[in-house]
Amino acid sequence: MNKQYDVLVIGAGNGGLASAAWMAKEGKKVLLLEKHNLPGGCAGSIVRGRFEFELTLHELCQMGPEGTGEVRKLLDDIGTDVEWVAMNEAFHTINTHPETGFDVEMPIGVDAFVDAMEREVPGSRASMENLMEVNRMIFDAISWLASYQNNPPKAAMLLKWKDFMKMASVPADEMLRRLGVPDKAREIYESYWDYLSVDCTRVSFVVYSFMVYTYLTLKPYIAKKRSFEIVLALEQRIRDFGGEIRYNTPVKRIDIRDNKARGVELADGTYIPCKRIISNIMPTVVFDKMVDPKEVPARDKKLCEARTLGPNGFVIYLGLDASADQLGIKGYDTFVRETADTEVLFEKCKTRKSHRRIFNYSCLNRAIPDASEPGTCMIMFLLLYTADAFDDVTEENYFKIKDQIVEETIDYFEEAAKVKIRDHIEELVTASPVTLARYIGTPQGNCYGYAVDMWDGMLPRTMSGEKEDYTVKGLRFCGGHGTQMDGYSQAYLSGREVARYTLKDMEEGR
């Protein structure tokens, strides 16, 4: 006789792990199905020689000390055992434009950030102080929304947070101009833009500034043993709560009949019945490949067609035979661009030909000095492509193209950062959009979910997530493509959010 489960979770990525852990914590019989032989999805590491490279994590947002940020609360509530490291820098940003360029290290802390901006852009203090006060209001408003699990009383929201609601539909770049932030200060402030996968003319000001303010007040955090430490901690808690996990178990089909989830069919033909399914696989893949076309709801079909896929990435991992101090590498997380115009940068990132001199890099040893052996360090370069830049790549030219990207990136890094690393490269590994497409199974190797837009950002998604997006009874979605948008922190929050919705669905019989 088949074992009965309250909920099936498909995919042990960050969102799936968080959902499964939360459901199991609440006493539900959970089965987590993962196609690979280990959990994590994009979260993990690879070992080459004497280096262990972090795959994707830069830093977590909404953390803070115990009991403060929403992500920290989530992970603490689940009971994860992770050693956290707080960062004391916001970012290092380099603009190599010959006339308007800059090289600035921005600190954590609102006052310290404003002081640093004033030193770099004299006369910016008043506008930056005003901006930070607006950011505080935004932070308070979003925290208030979270306290109602994104379903607040509408009248109270309109009365209490009317300024927040007015700003929600204004792009970040436009609002910064309205607030009188000087151009150079605005350009420095917008350095985080690719964390949200879209330029500042198309991302909501409240979403962008909430992220910046959260970093400044709660600090960015990383796990001492990197992202896989978080993965293993979540996996352990799922088991502790009585949940079951099956690896090497790909799901072939989600059985939907008469607009209700019925169960799943595995790749080996095994059928597992269950009326509640949480998918960490994005809706585009689910409804295109895993569901009978006749059962795809019209709203989901239209929504998948209306949305644009977020960026895909090309990652370069370098293990160097000299320390960061010896090489003169500054900062942990650095953005390098040839212009600070985020709209221009976004367009340039659409093709390999135009994508030049744009990337960010992280030196993990600046956050965790013993991340590699003494006298060594590691650098991870990330190049984001905002369209399918590898659509013309063939088997014959694939490796040549990868080598070319690596050479150009290292050349520009040495020029922009004024650091020579080429003669110190001991290990070099790359992951292209092709690599990501093969491993995580997303179209184009997409690693940012759905691209953010004014009509489809965090606020519209969270406000419609519980009811409007619930089109198949018993089927919900979590992960970086979900209501909270892309990123590790957002995937964890999406996992908890969808688990809460599913618990409510079960309680109300919907």
Side-chain angles (χ1 to χ4, degrees):
M1 180 180 293
N2 288 331
K3 184 175 179 180
Q4 298 297 307
Y5 298 99
D6 294 315
V7 62
L8 303 179
V9 180
I10 306 174
N14 291 325
L17 287 165
S19 263
W22 197 268
M23 294 295 293
K25 179 178 77 71
E26 295 300 312
K28 301 304 178 184
K29 296 177 182 177
V30 178
L31 173 60
L32 174 58
L33 302 167
E34 168 56 44
K35 68 178 181 178
H36 291 299
N37 63 349
L38 75 170
C42 288
S45 63
I46 52 174
V47 176
R48 295 293 185 273
R50 53 180 176 158
F51 298 95
E52 181 177 358
F53 297 109
E54 165 63 40
L55 285 179
T56 55
L57 178 61
H58 287 224
E59 55 200 20
L60 292 179
C61 189
Q62 299 187 61
M63 286 290 292
E66 185 175 348
T68 51
E70 282 300 311
V71 175
R72 184 62 178 264
K73 291 177 186 176
L74 182 164
L75 296 171
D76 288 348
D77 286 346
I78 291 173
T80 54
D81 183 14
V82 177
E83 183 178 357
W84 299 108
V85 177
M87 306 297 299
N88 289 311
E89 64 173 70
F91 56 82
H92 176 206
T93 182
I94 301 174
N95 173 6
T96 62
H97 191 281
E99 297 176 1
T100 59
F102 45 77
D103 184 335
V104 187
E105 294 179 82
M106 299 301 292
I108 287 298
V110 170
D111 291 341
F113 192 91
V114 171
D115 289 345
M117 191 70 83
E118 175 65 21
R119 288 192 296 271
E120 187 66 25
V121 189
S124 64
R125 182 178 297 278
S127 64
M128 289 302 299
E129 288 178 342
N130 185 36
L131 171 61
M132 291 301 165
E133 183 60 24
V134 172
N135 289 353
R136 183 195 59 76
M137 178 272 291
I138 290 170
F139 181 88
D140 290 345
I142 291 180
S143 299
W144 181 82
L145 280 172
S147 72
Y148 284 95
Q149 296 183 24
N150 300 320
N151 190 23
K154 301 299 187 291
M157 185 172 180
L158 291 172
L159 292 172
K160 183 178 179 65
W161 303 108
K162 58 181 182 297
D163 289 337
F164 169 83
M165 296 301 294
K166 290 177 182 178
M167 293 179 182
S169 61
V170 180
D173 190 81
E174 180 181 335
M175 182 57 71
L176 292 171
R177 294 175 189 273
R178 288 188 192 180
L179 292 171
V181 177
D183 287 346
K184 185 178 180 181
R186 174 179 51 79
E187 291 169 350
I188 294 171
Y189 184 81
E190 290 179 349
S191 292
Y192 274 130
W193 74 272
D194 53 3
Y195 272 23
L196 294 175
S197 79
V198 70
D199 66 84
C200 288
T201 68
R202 285 185 287 176
V203 67
S204 167
F205 168 72
V206 302
V207 173
Y208 188 88
S209 280
F210 173 74
M211 177 185 67
V212 174
Y213 192 77
T214 302
Y215 275 135
L216 295 183
T217 55
L218 297 181
K219 294 187 177 182
Y221 277 71
I222 58 175
K224 177 69 183 293
K225 297 178 182 176
R226 286 151 277 186
S227 62
F228 207 57
E229 181 181 10
I230 312 172
V231 168
L232 293 179
L234 286 167
E235 185 209 42
Q236 183 60 52
R237 295 306 287 158
I238 293 169
R239 297 185 188 279
D240 292 344
F241 292 132
E244 184 181 339
I245 305 173
R246 296 186 196 175
Y247 295 115
N248 297 308
T249 309
V251 173
K252 177 182 178 181
R253 182 175 66 92
I254 297 177
D255 183 15
I256 297 174
R257 282 170 282 154
D258 300 324
N259 211 44
K260 296 179 182 179
R262 310 283 182 166
V264 302
E265 180 185 351
L266 307 181
D268 65 4
T270 301
Y271 184 84
I272 304 176
C274 191
K275 295 181 180 179
R276 303 289 173 183
I277 298 170
I278 296 175
S279 174
N280 199 181
I281 303 173
M282 68 191 310
T284 296
V285 175
V286 168
F287 290 124
D288 184 51
K289 297 183 176 181
M290 301 175 68
V291 172
D292 184 336
K294 298 190 299 295
E295 296 288 349
V296 177
R299 185 178 189 278
D300 290 290
K301 185 176 181 180
K302 291 178 180 178
L303 191 57
C304 288
E305 290 173 347
R307 284 172 160 168
T308 302
L309 292 174
N312 50 72
F314 189 101
V315 191
I316 304 167
Y317 310 93
L318 296 182
L320 306 176
D321 66 3
S323 70
D325 286 338
Q326 290 171 327
L327 295 170
I329 298 172
K330 295 192 296 184
Y332 164 66
D333 207 19
T334 302
F335 303 99
V336 183
R337 292 92 183 244
E338 62 179 358
T339 176
D341 187 323
T342 65
E343 188 173 19
V344 170
L345 290 169
F346 186 85
E347 290 301 313
K348 283 179 171 287
C349 289
K350 288 185 175 180
T351 71
R352 294 196 317 277
K353 184 176 180 180
S354 59
H355 192 303
R356 294 288 188 272
R357 307 165 77 83
I358 308 165
F359 58 82
N360 62 307
Y361 70 88
S362 298
C363 180
L364 186 60
N365 302 78
R366 283 303 187 198
I368 306 171
D370 60 353
S372 62
E373 293 182 8
T376 70
C377 69
M378 297 179 288
I379 299 180
M380 175 175 69
F381 295 92
L382 173 62
L383 290 74
L384 287 180
Y385 292 98
T386 54
D388 189 4
F390 274 62
D391 62 343
D392 62 338
V393 173
T394 65
E395 187 175 346
E396 290 73 25
N397 65 13
Y398 176 60
F399 291 101
K400 181 179 179 181
I401 288 171
K402 288 208 304 180
D403 290 344
Q404 181 183 355
I405 293 172
V406 170
E407 292 296 322
E408 291 175 350
T409 301
I410 293 174
D411 283 345
Y412 184 41
F413 168 81
E414 292 190 330
E415 174 190 334
K418 299 177 176 59
V419 174
K420 298 298 181 183
I421 61 171
R422 188 176 293 276
D423 293 339
H424 295 280
I425 297 174
E426 183 176 319
E427 297 289 345
L428 190 159
V429 186
T430 62
S432 74
V434 178
T435 312
L436 294 169
R438 184 176 64 247
Y439 188 71
I440 60 177
T442 55
Q444 303 173 14
N446 165 268
C447 54
Y448 270 73
Y450 295 109
V452 176
D453 212 326
M454 292 304 300
W455 69 272
D456 188 30
M458 185 180 75
L459 291 173
R461 292 183 193 181
T462 54
M463 298 303 287
S464 63
E466 181 182 352
K467 296 179 180 178
E468 284 83 351
D469 289 343
Y470 187 47
T471 54
V472 176
K473 183 177 180 179
L475 175 64
R476 288 192 179 274
F477 294 88
C478 69
H481 49 264
T483 56
Q484 301 287 333
M485 305 193 312
D486 58 85
Y488 275 67
S489 296
Q490 287 66 39
Y492 297 137
L493 292 174
S494 170
R496 181 185 66 178
E497 175 186 71
V498 169
R500 284 172 167 171
Y501 291 161
T502 301
L503 289 166
K504 193 172 181 181
D505 296 340
M506 297 168 75
E507 182 181 326
E508 298 180 0
R510 59 183 186 184

